[in-house]
Amino acid sequence: MVVPHTAFAVDAGALGVNGDSSEETVATPLPDSFGRDTPRHTVQGFISALSENDYLLASNYLNLSKSDNPTTVVRQFKQALDAGGRFQPDLQISNTPEGNLTDQLPPSQENVGVINIGEKSVSLLLERVVSKENEQYWQFSSETLSSIPEVIENSEPTLVSRYTVDSLDGKKLFGYQLADLVAALSMIVSSFVLTYIAVWLLYHLLRIVYPRVRGVPLPLPDKVILPLSVVIMALILSEVMVYAGVSVTLREPVNRFTDIASWLALTWLLLRVIDAIFTRAVNLSYKKNYTERVSILGLLRKVVKALLLIFAVIVIFGNLGFDLTTGIAALGVGGLALALGAQKTIENLVGSVVVVADSPVRIGDYCKFGTYEGTVIDIGIRSSRVRTLTRTVVTVPNGDFSSMQIENFTSRDMFRFFHQLYLKRTADIDVVFKMVKDLDEFLKEHEMTNQEWNQVNILELRQDCYVIQLQAYINANDVMEFYDKQNVVFVDVLNQVAKYDVEHALPTQQLIVNQAELEHHMENNIVKTEDDASEDHSDTNSNETNVSLEDNDDNNSDDVTINKDTDNANDDMANNQKSSMATVSRKGALKALKHKSRMLRKSKFKHTKNKFSLSIWNQP
């Protein structure tokens, strides 16, 4: 009986079935029902209880003795806080159960603010309390509470209580005293207006003085006036409300939102400053001809802005009460999942780093990649943009752009002058050879060319011309300068060629016509024209006769007879005239054809006997 029982007990202790579970229960603290687990939650819960005027609930956040009256102590504590209490910002108060272990205080104490009334100063200390049930929570220390009566003895009525209209006394709106709301709103508006005027005057004063001292315009734009005014207003508003005696229950929420506004304004201000700094750096890079830095500066500007925005979002959410530790951990897990699902985006991000670091192209370079070519106008975090010759913008992902074969035309250290001359074969070969040698020496010694590769040679012997090739390299910074220098070289080369007895070969045109076929076609066209004219004349006479007959249908028979005789006479006259005109037309056509035949015999056309053919071609 003993051996099995002992063996079972040993196995249970070794597996931790009984002993380990009880130790875990003791080691794990129970959550506090009032939310006093961390110093930050303790301060927020106490202010929330004060705003609801629940002094009994607020007393749970104070480490009171049995002899203290909870309501009296809470009322005195609130009076001291209204007169000169200043809590630290929420982000500076620890949000862990252990508190801030790096300060100069014992591990069981935490400093969350200070009360300054006159010459008296009391630190707002929290202390960690362990109950009989092993519950651990934070409360305002008894040391702080014992100093409150001494501090409020010399306190005077606040400005808000002194100048409050009697009609506003005791009234509430949204759970706050109406007098405090009116005072806070007035101070916010007046502080912003006065701060904006002061910053505006200071900026324009610097705008006048700075150029006289440094000799350059003020690098900051006037867009920094508004965010700088908001930042300064948020810094002084808290002290102004403390000096005026605004209730701590309203001052703390206002301070929280002014902190958010100040962080937004500070982020806005820093973005303006970053733009001004990087714009100045880019201008200096162009001025000193360090164009390779422009792309790096552009990418660095976007990275700094992205990091600044991420930091601002984290701080703002922290001021709103979110747990940053949990959020950052979730952001890390979400970032890992995003990295697995957004591989193409990460590829483009890495590609942008490669494009900037390797610098195959820079902003402003003219390049050719794939089927496109144009000027690079932007190298972003995800993609790059290129403006083509048709003025369209092509957006290329940096992942693809970094893996392409890119031809950079702007990186040329010199430009190639490569052209050809065409001279007629009638020129003497000795003259042509001498001209080639002289042109070769001329290009080598020309002031626009360098010694990289200058050469003039006879490239080809064609049946109608000599092809002379001219090649040289010209130093130029860009294509516009190259075109200007190339024009000068063109004129000088043509002037040199004009000194020799040679002629430029121009494009020629040859026309081969069959004379017999041409005469046949001309005769057919003439006869067809005469037939058309005869038909038109006959139709005209017929129409006139018909009209005459129609008009005279109502006349008597004698008139009809006379008209018929007249018509017969007219027909005979028309037939005679038609015969004479046809005879004259045939004679004129034959005469013109004989004249054309004589002209063709005298011409230099080539005659063929069997067929009509027409061929045209150009020769250089």
Side-chain angles (χ1 to χ4, degrees):
M1 295 285 295
V2 174
V3 174
H5 178 72
T6 303
F8 178 79
V10 171
D11 292 339
L15 296 174
V17 175
N18 294 326
D20 290 346
S21 61
S22 61
E23 290 178 3
E24 290 179 0
T25 305
V26 173
T28 302
L30 298 175
D32 183 65
S33 58
F34 296 100
R36 299 170 296 181
D37 300 310
T38 65
R40 184 185 299 178
H41 290 164
T42 301
V43 174
Q44 292 176 352
F46 176 69
I47 295 175
S48 176
L50 289 180
S51 63
E52 297 175 359
N53 288 328
D54 192 347
Y55 288 173
L56 184 60
L57 176 62
S59 64
N60 291 287
Y61 296 90
L62 307 180
N63 190 7
L64 302 174
S65 62
K66 295 181 179 180
S67 60
D68 293 332
N69 186 353
T71 305
T72 303
V73 175
V74 171
R75 184 179 292 109
Q76 292 177 350
F77 195 21
K78 182 179 183 300
Q79 182 182 354
L81 291 174
D82 291 342
R86 297 172 178 85
F87 285 103
Q88 294 179 358
D90 287 345
L91 291 181
Q92 296 182 13
I93 301 176
S94 176
N95 198 31
T96 59
E98 297 81 10
N100 187 9
L101 302 178
T102 61
D103 54 9
Q104 303 297 326
L105 299 174
S108 61
Q109 290 185 349
E110 189 78 14
N111 188 359
V112 295
V114 66
I115 297 176
N116 292 321
I117 300 177
E119 297 180 355
K120 298 292 184 178
S121 179
V122 177
S123 297
L124 295 174
L125 297 177
L126 299 179
E127 60 184 0
R128 197 172 190 185
V129 180
V130 180
S131 65
K132 295 180 181 179
E133 292 81 9
N134 199 32
E135 294 180 353
Q136 298 182 6
Y137 49 84
W138 293 88
Q139 288 180 328
F140 284 95
S141 66
S142 57
E143 179 183 353
T144 299
L145 298 176
S146 62
S147 303
I148 296 300
E150 182 181 358
V151 172
I152 63 176
E153 287 180 357
N154 299 325
S155 63
E156 298 179 356
T158 61
L159 295 177
V160 176
S161 62
R162 190 183 306 171
Y163 296 104
T164 299
V165 182
D166 294 337
S167 60
L168 299 179
D169 192 11
K171 295 183 178 180
K172 290 186 176 182
L173 182 65
F174 303 114
Y176 301 103
Q177 293 291 334
L178 188 58
D180 291 334
L181 287 173
V182 173
L185 182 61
S186 301
M187 283 183 284
I188 291 173
V189 174
S190 59
S191 299
F192 174 74
V193 172
L194 293 175
T195 305
Y196 186 85
I197 294 174
V199 173
W200 186 87
L201 292 175
L202 179 61
Y203 175 81
H204 285 82
L205 180 62
L206 289 175
R207 195 172 182 179
I208 296 174
V209 174
Y210 189 85
R212 297 181 179 179
V213 176
R214 300 296 301 273
V216 293
L218 185 66
L220 291 177
D222 57 356
K223 297 179 181 179
V224 302
I225 296 177
L226 180 59
L228 184 59
S229 302
V230 175
V231 172
I232 297 176
M233 183 269 293
L235 294 177
I236 67 175
L237 183 61
S238 177
E239 293 297 325
V240 171
M241 287 193 297
V242 172
Y243 178 77
V246 178
S247 176
V248 67
T249 58
L250 177 61
R251 194 167 65 233
E252 288 304 312
V254 172
N255 287 338
R256 185 176 297 112
F257 284 103
T258 54
D259 287 341
I260 295 174
S262 64
W263 277 106
L264 289 174
L266 183 61
T267 304
W268 185 10
L269 176 63
L270 292 178
L271 289 175
R272 298 297 186 187
V273 173
I274 289 171
D275 285 335
I277 293 174
F278 279 95
T279 300
R280 182 176 177 83
V282 169
N283 293 334
L284 289 176
S285 299
Y286 279 122
K287 184 177 180 180
K288 296 182 179 181
N289 201 22
Y290 295 150
T291 55
E292 67 277 359
R293 299 180 181 177
V294 176
S295 301
I296 299 175
L297 290 173
L299 181 60
L300 187 60
R301 173 193 291 186
K302 295 175 182 177
V303 171
V304 171
K305 283 186 175 182
L307 294 177
L308 178 62
L309 291 175
I310 293 173
F311 178 75
V313 169
I314 292 175
V315 173
I316 290 171
F317 276 96
N319 278 294
L320 291 175
F322 293 93
D323 189 1
L324 296 182
T325 305
T326 306
I328 294 174
L331 185 63
V333 176
L336 181 60
L338 183 64
L340 295 176
Q343 297 181 3
K344 194 65 178 179
T345 303
I346 297 176
E347 178 186 353
N348 293 329
L349 179 61
V350 175
S352 65
V353 177
V354 172
V355 171
V356 172
D358 192 35
S359 295
V361 291
R362 298 181 294 269
I363 295 178
D365 289 356
Y366 186 87
C367 64
K368 181 179 180 180
F369 58 96
T371 58
Y372 298 98
E373 60 178 296
T375 303
V376 180
I377 59 176
D378 182 52
I379 298 177
I381 298 178
R382 193 201 71 85
S383 61
S384 298
R385 293 182 296 167
V386 179
R387 186 175 296 280
T388 63
L389 292 177
T390 57
R391 309 306 297 168
T392 59
V393 176
V394 179
T395 302
V396 187
N398 286 327
D400 300 333
F401 194 60
S402 61
S403 60
M404 288 183 177
Q405 293 183 353
I406 304 174
E407 183 179 2
N408 192 339
F409 293 95
T410 310
S411 299
R412 290 181 293 191
D413 55 348
M414 60 187 69
F415 289 78
R416 187 185 185 190
F417 178 86
F418 185 77
H419 296 280
Q420 295 175 350
L421 292 175
Y422 300 94
L423 304 179
K424 289 185 177 181
R425 290 291 296 269
T426 57
D428 190 357
I429 187 62
D430 295 332
V431 175
V432 172
F433 186 71
K434 184 177 185 307
M435 184 196 69
V436 169
K437 291 183 61 178
D438 294 343
L439 286 178
D440 186 67
E441 294 295 330
F442 176 76
L443 283 182
K444 291 179 180 179
E445 297 176 359
H446 198 278
E447 59 181 2
M448 297 294 180
T449 62
N450 55 41
Q451 301 301 320
E452 182 68 23
W453 184 9
N454 300 328
Q455 186 179 13
V456 179
N457 61 291
I458 301 176
L459 178 66
E460 187 179 354
L461 296 176
R462 296 184 180 177
Q463 61 181 358
D464 58 339
C465 65
Y466 300 104
V467 181
I468 311 300
Q469 179 175 277
L470 298 91
Q471 179 169 282
Y473 282 93
I474 299 176
N475 293 325
N477 294 324
D478 52 30
V479 68
M480 299 305 296
E481 182 181 357
F482 166 69
Y483 286 151
D484 293 337
K485 293 183 176 181
Q486 181 177 248
N487 292 336
V488 175
V489 177
F490 272 144
V491 174
D492 294 341
V493 168
L494 293 177
N495 289 334
Q496 289 294 322
V497 173
K499 297 178 181 179
Y500 299 90
D501 187 15
V502 293
E503 295 184 16
H504 294 280
L506 301 177
T508 59
Q509 187 179 56
Q510 186 172 2
L511 179 66
I512 301 176
V513 181
N514 189 327
Q515 182 181 358
E517 292 290 337
L518 179 61
E519 294 176 354
H520 177 71
H521 283 287
M522 289 180 63
E523 183 177 359
N524 290 338
N525 290 335
I526 292 172
V527 173
K528 184 177 180 181
T529 302
E530 293 176 354
D531 294 339
D532 293 339
S534 300
E535 290 177 358
D536 293 339
H537 183 72
S538 175
D539 292 339
T540 302
N541 292 333
S542 175
N543 291 334
E544 292 177 353
T545 303
N546 292 333
V547 171
S548 177
L549 290 173
E550 289 176 358
D551 292 339
N552 295 323
D553 283 342
D554 296 333
N555 294 335
N556 52 26
S557 59
D558 296 336
D559 294 335
V560 171
T561 304
I562 294 172
N563 288 334
K564 288 182 178 180
D565 295 338
T566 305
D567 291 338
N568 293 330
N570 289 335
D571 290 339
D572 295 338
M573 185 181 297
N575 291 330
N576 295 332
Q577 185 177 1
K578 180 178 178 181
S579 301
S580 60
M581 289 178 64
T583 304
V584 173
S585 299
R586 289 190 182 91
K587 291 180 179 179
L590 292 175
K591 184 177 180 180
L593 186 60
K594 291 179 180 180
H595 176 71
K596 186 67 177 178
S597 177
R598 287 195 301 270
M599 296 298 295
L600 289 175
R601 292 191 187 97
K602 295 180 181 180
S603 64
K604 297 181 180 180
F605 290 141
K606 182 179 179 180
H607 300 274
T608 58
K609 296 181 180 180
N610 297 325
K611 64 179 180 178
F612 173 78
S613 62
L614 181 66
S615 63
I616 301 174
W617 68 87
N618 294 327
Q619 295 181 358

